[in-house]
Amino acid sequence: MNTFADATAAPETIAPEELTEEELTEAQPAEVLRPLTVAELHLHIEGTLEPELIFELAARNGITLPYADLDELRGRYEFTDLQSFLDLYYANMAVLQTEQDFADMTRAYLTRAAAAGVRHAEIMMDPQAHLSRGIPLETCVNGVASALATSVEDFGISTLLIAAFLRDLSEESALEVLDALLAMDAPIAAIGLDSAEVGNPPSKFERLFAKARAAGLRLTAHAGEEAPPSYIIEALDILGVERIDHGIRCMDDPELVERLVDERTPLTVCPLSNVRLRAVDTLADHPLPAMLAAGLNVSVNSDDPAYFGGYVDENFAQLRTVFELSEFDVVRLAAHSINSSFASEERKTELLNELNGV
Ligand code: ADE
Ligand code: ZN
């Protein structure tokens, strides 16, 4: 029985017809509207570990955390850049020990995502971050996969799993893990590339992506989160990825923007993440509106929501507040997420119809 319901509780949704006209004028849009139908394409499952769940799993596994209580842990959530976040993100994974732990974390995310309107989720996990702690591949993969296997019945969310590789480790390590995943016939649909970006360009992983492509896997990679546009170009030209995770730094290269627009390349943007990791100064400085205006295929995603102050609904809510996005733009962003997913054409049509109220 889990006891972390509060940590995963969604903001209460009020149907408009339940409100008086006065209340309707006062209520915030995110409370009044039914959740927008979206696909979440950029989500690290280990980044959904809420502080309450970290303490619960630590107690269950007899692990002593280096924080006395929740407040002390939350006090560490002040990041100066990507690396300062990654240090805490990897340290907190110590509480994940058993298949049950991975399954509970995944179900907690799905519970919260369903309330946020997520109807399809492509979930990244970092197998190397668990292997290096002595956790077998089967434990992390089977734990997450067991929760995903019933995600449609249990949460109304279609899901698929992305094995993400740590770019600050060697390509040999990544190749070994990919081989092991393929040998165990792991239920993965795609591979990704994450962790410390600057100094670890996509070109370092050319053989890994070629092998994954040959195995029939879909391809995505983080690029242009902190590193310059050349990383995005390498991910496209050398790795042959279909999607770019983040990609905000493309705005520094007008020629690249033109190419991304022409090729309709999906960019899975994570606004609250970019603020918390200081890729941008404030949300008001975020390039998302300019990216939309340029005609880029951008979607809104939550990245590591337990660390960055909000799930996908909160990302949309804050964007609406700061930028006064039109309903048209909000629906366009949601449609981009669905169209950019690796879901079947049938599922995409189903979700687009739902988004359009058909
Ligand atoms: N791993 C988890 N979150 C990440 C991010 N935002 N960038 C790179 N690697 C990550
Ligand atoms: Zn990410």
Side-chain angles (χ1 to χ4, degrees), residues 42-47 82 85-86 89-90 93 124 126 164-167 193-197 222-223 225-226 245-246 270 273-274 277 302-304 307-308:
H42 185 158
L43 183 279
H44 302 266
I45 196 65
E46 298 91 344
L82 173 58
F85 154 69
L86 290 172
Y89 166 80
Y90 291 127
M93 288 182 200
M124 274 180 272
D126 288 333
F165 291 89
L166 306 186
R167 66 199 310 155
L193 188 65
D194 62 0
S195 202
E197 185 182 18
H222 285 51
E225 179 182 13
E226 286 188 337
D245 294 318
H246 290 296
C270 308
S273 163
N274 296 146
L277 301 188
S302 66
D303 207 5
D304 302 285
Y307 290 90
F308 300 151

Short mmCIF file of all heavy atoms in Angstrom, two decimals, residues 42-47 82 85-86 89-90 93 124 126 164-167 193-197 222-223 225-226 245-246 270 273-274 277 302-304 307-308, ligand 1:
data_model
loop_
_atom_site.label_atom_id
_atom_site.label_comp_id
_atom_site.label_asym_id
_atom_site.label_seq_id
_atom_site.Cartn_x
_atom_site.Cartn_y
_atom_site.Cartn_z
N HIS A 42 8.98 13.80 -23.33
CA HIS A 42 10.30 14.04 -22.71
C HIS A 42 10.13 13.97 -21.20
O HIS A 42 9.78 14.97 -20.55
CB HIS A 42 10.83 15.40 -23.17
CG HIS A 42 12.21 15.70 -22.69
ND1 HIS A 42 13.03 16.62 -23.31
CD2 HIS A 42 12.94 15.21 -21.66
CE1 HIS A 42 14.18 16.69 -22.67
NE2 HIS A 42 14.14 15.84 -21.65
N LEU A 43 10.38 12.79 -20.68
CA LEU A 43 10.12 12.54 -19.26
C LEU A 43 11.09 11.46 -18.80
O LEU A 43 11.14 10.38 -19.39
CB LEU A 43 8.66 12.06 -19.14
CG LEU A 43 8.00 11.76 -17.78
CD1 LEU A 43 8.33 10.39 -17.22
CD2 LEU A 43 8.25 12.86 -16.75
N HIS A 44 11.89 11.79 -17.79
CA HIS A 44 12.81 10.81 -17.21
C HIS A 44 12.08 10.20 -16.00
O HIS A 44 11.76 10.93 -15.06
CB HIS A 44 14.10 11.49 -16.76
CG HIS A 44 14.80 12.21 -17.87
ND1 HIS A 44 15.80 11.64 -18.62
CD2 HIS A 44 14.62 13.45 -18.39
CE1 HIS A 44 16.21 12.50 -19.54
NE2 HIS A 44 15.51 13.61 -19.42
N ILE A 45 11.87 8.91 -16.02
CA ILE A 45 11.07 8.33 -14.95
C ILE A 45 11.75 8.53 -13.59
O ILE A 45 11.07 8.76 -12.58
CB ILE A 45 10.74 6.83 -15.24
CG1 ILE A 45 9.61 6.36 -14.34
CG2 ILE A 45 11.95 5.92 -15.13
CD1 ILE A 45 8.28 7.03 -14.56
N GLU A 46 13.08 8.53 -13.58
CA GLU A 46 13.78 8.75 -12.30
C GLU A 46 13.61 10.19 -11.83
O GLU A 46 13.81 10.48 -10.65
CB GLU A 46 15.27 8.43 -12.44
CG GLU A 46 15.57 6.97 -12.80
CD GLU A 46 15.66 6.72 -14.31
OE1 GLU A 46 15.19 7.59 -15.09
OE2 GLU A 46 16.20 5.67 -14.72
N GLY A 47 13.23 11.07 -12.73
CA GLY A 47 12.99 12.48 -12.38
C GLY A 47 11.58 12.72 -11.87
O GLY A 47 11.17 13.86 -11.66
N LEU A 82 22.79 22.30 -15.26
CA LEU A 82 22.40 20.89 -15.44
C LEU A 82 23.18 19.98 -14.48
O LEU A 82 22.60 19.10 -13.83
CB LEU A 82 22.64 20.49 -16.90
CG LEU A 82 22.45 19.01 -17.26
CD1 LEU A 82 21.04 18.52 -16.90
CD2 LEU A 82 22.74 18.78 -18.75
N PHE A 85 22.01 19.73 -10.89
CA PHE A 85 20.81 18.89 -10.77
C PHE A 85 21.16 17.41 -10.90
O PHE A 85 20.71 16.58 -10.09
CB PHE A 85 19.79 19.29 -11.85
CG PHE A 85 18.86 18.17 -12.21
CD1 PHE A 85 17.90 17.73 -11.30
CD2 PHE A 85 18.96 17.52 -13.43
CE1 PHE A 85 17.06 16.66 -11.61
CE2 PHE A 85 18.14 16.45 -13.75
CZ PHE A 85 17.18 16.02 -12.83
N LEU A 86 21.99 17.08 -11.89
CA LEU A 86 22.31 15.67 -12.12
C LEU A 86 22.94 15.04 -10.87
O LEU A 86 22.67 13.87 -10.55
CB LEU A 86 23.25 15.52 -13.32
CG LEU A 86 22.64 15.82 -14.70
CD1 LEU A 86 23.72 15.83 -15.78
CD2 LEU A 86 21.54 14.82 -15.07
N TYR A 89 20.03 14.18 -8.65
CA TYR A 89 19.18 13.21 -9.37
C TYR A 89 19.79 11.80 -9.28
O TYR A 89 19.11 10.83 -8.92
CB TYR A 89 19.08 13.72 -10.80
CG TYR A 89 18.55 12.83 -11.89
CD1 TYR A 89 17.18 12.62 -12.06
CD2 TYR A 89 19.42 12.27 -12.83
CE1 TYR A 89 16.71 11.86 -13.11
CE2 TYR A 89 18.95 11.52 -13.90
CZ TYR A 89 17.59 11.31 -14.03
OH TYR A 89 17.12 10.56 -15.07
N TYR A 90 21.10 11.69 -9.53
CA TYR A 90 21.74 10.37 -9.46
C TYR A 90 21.84 9.90 -8.01
O TYR A 90 21.63 8.71 -7.71
CB TYR A 90 23.13 10.39 -10.12
CG TYR A 90 23.08 10.56 -11.62
CD1 TYR A 90 23.79 11.57 -12.26
CD2 TYR A 90 22.30 9.72 -12.41
CE1 TYR A 90 23.73 11.73 -13.65
CE2 TYR A 90 22.23 9.89 -13.79
CZ TYR A 90 22.95 10.90 -14.40
OH TYR A 90 22.87 11.06 -15.77
N MET A 93 18.68 8.26 -6.67
CA MET A 93 18.33 6.95 -7.23
C MET A 93 18.72 5.80 -6.31
O MET A 93 18.27 4.67 -6.50
CB MET A 93 19.01 6.75 -8.59
CG MET A 93 18.43 7.61 -9.68
SD MET A 93 19.29 7.22 -11.22
CE MET A 93 18.93 8.68 -12.18
N MET A 124 11.50 7.85 -20.62
CA MET A 124 12.93 7.49 -20.62
C MET A 124 13.33 6.91 -19.28
O MET A 124 12.83 7.35 -18.24
CB MET A 124 13.79 8.75 -20.86
CG MET A 124 13.98 9.07 -22.31
SD MET A 124 14.98 10.55 -22.52
CE MET A 124 13.72 11.81 -22.48
N ASP A 126 17.18 5.48 -17.29
CA ASP A 126 18.64 5.50 -17.40
C ASP A 126 19.24 4.19 -16.87
O ASP A 126 19.74 4.14 -15.74
CB ASP A 126 19.21 6.66 -16.54
CG ASP A 126 18.96 8.04 -17.12
OD1 ASP A 126 18.83 8.14 -18.35
OD2 ASP A 126 18.92 9.01 -16.34
N ALA A 164 17.59 5.42 -22.24
CA ALA A 164 18.46 6.58 -22.47
C ALA A 164 19.88 6.22 -22.03
O ALA A 164 20.07 5.53 -21.02
CB ALA A 164 17.94 7.78 -21.69
N PHE A 165 20.84 6.69 -22.79
CA PHE A 165 22.25 6.39 -22.51
C PHE A 165 22.95 7.64 -22.00
O PHE A 165 22.66 8.75 -22.46
CB PHE A 165 22.92 5.82 -23.76
CG PHE A 165 22.40 4.44 -24.08
CD1 PHE A 165 21.28 4.28 -24.90
CD2 PHE A 165 22.97 3.32 -23.49
CE1 PHE A 165 20.76 3.02 -25.15
CE2 PHE A 165 22.45 2.05 -23.73
CZ PHE A 165 21.34 1.89 -24.56
N LEU A 166 23.84 7.42 -21.04
CA LEU A 166 24.51 8.54 -20.37
C LEU A 166 25.71 8.98 -21.20
O LEU A 166 26.68 8.23 -21.34
CB LEU A 166 24.93 8.14 -18.95
CG LEU A 166 23.82 7.57 -18.05
CD1 LEU A 166 24.34 7.34 -16.63
CD2 LEU A 166 22.60 8.48 -18.02
N ARG A 167 25.62 10.20 -21.72
CA ARG A 167 26.65 10.67 -22.67
C ARG A 167 27.97 10.99 -22.00
O ARG A 167 28.99 11.15 -22.68
CB ARG A 167 26.10 11.87 -23.44
CG ARG A 167 25.87 13.09 -22.58
CD ARG A 167 24.93 14.08 -23.21
NE ARG A 167 25.27 14.42 -24.57
CZ ARG A 167 24.38 14.88 -25.48
NH1 ARG A 167 23.11 15.04 -25.14
NH2 ARG A 167 24.76 15.19 -26.68
N LEU A 193 19.58 9.87 -25.55
CA LEU A 193 20.93 10.24 -25.09
C LEU A 193 20.74 11.40 -24.11
O LEU A 193 20.14 12.41 -24.48
CB LEU A 193 21.76 10.69 -26.29
CG LEU A 193 23.25 10.95 -26.08
CD1 LEU A 193 23.99 9.68 -25.68
CD2 LEU A 193 23.86 11.53 -27.37
N ASP A 194 21.23 11.21 -22.87
CA ASP A 194 21.02 12.28 -21.88
C ASP A 194 22.25 12.44 -20.99
O ASP A 194 23.34 12.00 -21.34
CB ASP A 194 19.73 12.03 -21.07
CG ASP A 194 19.77 10.75 -20.26
OD1 ASP A 194 20.79 10.02 -20.29
OD2 ASP A 194 18.77 10.45 -19.57
N SER A 195 22.08 13.12 -19.86
CA SER A 195 23.13 13.44 -18.89
C SER A 195 23.96 14.65 -19.36
O SER A 195 23.50 15.41 -20.21
CB SER A 195 23.99 12.21 -18.59
OG SER A 195 24.65 12.39 -17.34
N ALA A 196 25.20 14.78 -18.82
CA ALA A 196 25.96 16.03 -18.98
C ALA A 196 26.30 16.30 -20.45
O ALA A 196 27.07 15.56 -21.06
CB ALA A 196 27.23 15.94 -18.15
N GLU A 197 25.73 17.37 -20.98
CA GLU A 197 25.79 17.57 -22.43
C GLU A 197 27.11 18.19 -22.92
O GLU A 197 27.75 17.63 -23.83
CB GLU A 197 24.62 18.46 -22.88
CG GLU A 197 24.55 18.61 -24.40
CD GLU A 197 23.43 19.52 -24.87
OE1 GLU A 197 22.90 20.31 -24.06
OE2 GLU A 197 23.11 19.46 -26.07
N HIS A 222 18.97 14.17 -26.47
CA HIS A 222 19.04 15.53 -25.93
C HIS A 222 20.11 16.29 -26.74
O HIS A 222 21.22 15.78 -26.94
CB HIS A 222 19.50 15.52 -24.47
CG HIS A 222 18.44 15.08 -23.49
ND1 HIS A 222 17.72 13.94 -23.62
CD2 HIS A 222 18.01 15.67 -22.34
CE1 HIS A 222 16.88 13.83 -22.60
NE2 HIS A 222 17.04 14.87 -21.80
N ALA A 223 19.77 17.48 -27.16
CA ALA A 223 20.76 18.32 -27.85
C ALA A 223 20.29 19.78 -27.78
O ALA A 223 19.10 20.06 -27.92
CB ALA A 223 20.92 17.88 -29.30
N GLU A 225 20.40 21.76 -25.14
CA GLU A 225 19.83 22.17 -23.85
C GLU A 225 20.76 23.25 -23.29
O GLU A 225 20.35 24.37 -23.03
CB GLU A 225 19.75 20.96 -22.91
CG GLU A 225 19.19 21.30 -21.52
CD GLU A 225 19.16 20.09 -20.57
OE1 GLU A 225 19.79 19.06 -20.87
OE2 GLU A 225 18.50 20.19 -19.52
N GLU A 226 22.04 22.89 -23.12
CA GLU A 226 23.06 23.85 -22.69
C GLU A 226 24.10 24.07 -23.79
O GLU A 226 24.77 25.09 -23.83
CB GLU A 226 23.79 23.34 -21.44
CG GLU A 226 22.96 23.42 -20.16
CD GLU A 226 23.79 23.08 -18.92
OE1 GLU A 226 24.82 22.38 -19.04
OE2 GLU A 226 23.40 23.51 -17.82
N ASP A 245 15.51 16.33 -28.11
CA ASP A 245 15.02 16.66 -26.77
C ASP A 245 15.64 17.99 -26.34
O ASP A 245 16.87 18.15 -26.38
CB ASP A 245 15.34 15.52 -25.80
CG ASP A 245 14.56 14.27 -26.17
OD1 ASP A 245 13.36 14.39 -26.49
OD2 ASP A 245 15.15 13.16 -26.18
N HIS A 246 14.80 18.92 -25.95
CA HIS A 246 15.14 20.32 -25.66
C HIS A 246 15.30 21.10 -26.98
O HIS A 246 14.31 21.56 -27.52
CB HIS A 246 16.40 20.46 -24.78
CG HIS A 246 16.20 20.00 -23.38
ND1 HIS A 246 15.32 20.60 -22.52
CD2 HIS A 246 16.77 18.98 -22.69
CE1 HIS A 246 15.35 19.98 -21.34
NE2 HIS A 246 16.22 18.98 -21.43
N CYS A 270 11.06 21.77 -22.62
CA CYS A 270 10.69 21.59 -21.20
C CYS A 270 10.88 22.93 -20.48
O CYS A 270 11.94 23.18 -19.87
CB CYS A 270 11.57 20.52 -20.57
SG CYS A 270 11.59 18.97 -21.48
N SER A 273 11.88 23.13 -16.64
CA SER A 273 13.22 22.58 -16.51
C SER A 273 14.26 23.63 -16.89
O SER A 273 15.25 23.84 -16.19
CB SER A 273 13.36 21.34 -17.41
OG SER A 273 14.71 21.00 -17.61
N ASN A 274 14.03 24.29 -18.01
CA ASN A 274 15.00 25.29 -18.50
C ASN A 274 15.16 26.44 -17.51
O ASN A 274 16.25 26.98 -17.36
CB ASN A 274 14.58 25.83 -19.87
CG ASN A 274 14.56 24.78 -20.96
OD1 ASN A 274 13.74 24.82 -21.88
ND2 ASN A 274 15.47 23.80 -20.89
N LEU A 277 17.08 24.95 -14.33
CA LEU A 277 18.49 24.64 -14.60
C LEU A 277 19.23 25.83 -15.20
O LEU A 277 20.36 25.69 -15.69
CB LEU A 277 18.60 23.39 -15.49
CG LEU A 277 17.98 22.12 -14.91
CD1 LEU A 277 18.31 20.91 -15.77
CD2 LEU A 277 18.42 21.90 -13.48
N SER A 302 7.69 17.75 -19.39
CA SER A 302 8.04 18.08 -18.00
C SER A 302 9.45 17.65 -17.58
O SER A 302 9.90 18.04 -16.50
CB SER A 302 6.99 17.54 -17.04
OG SER A 302 6.96 16.15 -17.03
N ASP A 303 10.15 16.80 -18.35
CA ASP A 303 11.54 16.44 -18.09
C ASP A 303 11.71 15.68 -16.77
O ASP A 303 11.71 14.45 -16.77
CB ASP A 303 12.42 17.71 -18.12
CG ASP A 303 13.87 17.43 -18.50
OD1 ASP A 303 14.19 16.28 -18.83
OD2 ASP A 303 14.69 18.38 -18.49
N ASP A 304 11.88 16.39 -15.66
CA ASP A 304 12.04 15.77 -14.33
C ASP A 304 11.10 16.49 -13.37
O ASP A 304 11.55 17.28 -12.51
CB ASP A 304 13.49 15.92 -13.87
CG ASP A 304 14.47 15.29 -14.85
OD1 ASP A 304 14.56 14.05 -14.87
OD2 ASP A 304 15.10 16.05 -15.61
N TYR A 307 11.51 17.48 -9.65
CA TYR A 307 12.61 18.38 -9.31
C TYR A 307 12.40 19.81 -9.81
O TYR A 307 13.06 20.73 -9.34
CB TYR A 307 13.93 17.85 -9.90
CG TYR A 307 14.42 16.59 -9.24
CD1 TYR A 307 14.04 15.33 -9.69
CD2 TYR A 307 15.27 16.66 -8.12
CE1 TYR A 307 14.49 14.17 -9.08
CE2 TYR A 307 15.73 15.51 -7.51
CZ TYR A 307 15.34 14.26 -7.99
OH TYR A 307 15.79 13.12 -7.37
N PHE A 308 11.51 19.97 -10.81
CA PHE A 308 11.45 21.26 -11.48
C PHE A 308 10.16 22.04 -11.23
O PHE A 308 9.89 23.03 -11.91
CB PHE A 308 11.66 21.07 -13.00
CG PHE A 308 13.00 20.45 -13.34
CD1 PHE A 308 13.14 19.66 -14.48
CD2 PHE A 308 14.12 20.64 -12.53
CE1 PHE A 308 14.37 19.08 -14.82
CE2 PHE A 308 15.35 20.06 -12.85
CZ PHE A 308 15.47 19.27 -13.99
N1 ADE B 1 18.71 13.47 -17.23
C1 ADE B 1 17.60 13.79 -16.54
N2 ADE B 1 17.20 15.03 -16.86
C2 ADE B 1 18.07 15.51 -17.76
C3 ADE B 1 18.18 16.73 -18.48
N3 ADE B 1 17.32 17.74 -18.32
N4 ADE B 1 19.22 16.87 -19.33
C4 ADE B 1 20.09 15.90 -19.49
N5 ADE B 1 20.02 14.73 -18.86
C5 ADE B 1 19.02 14.53 -18.01
#
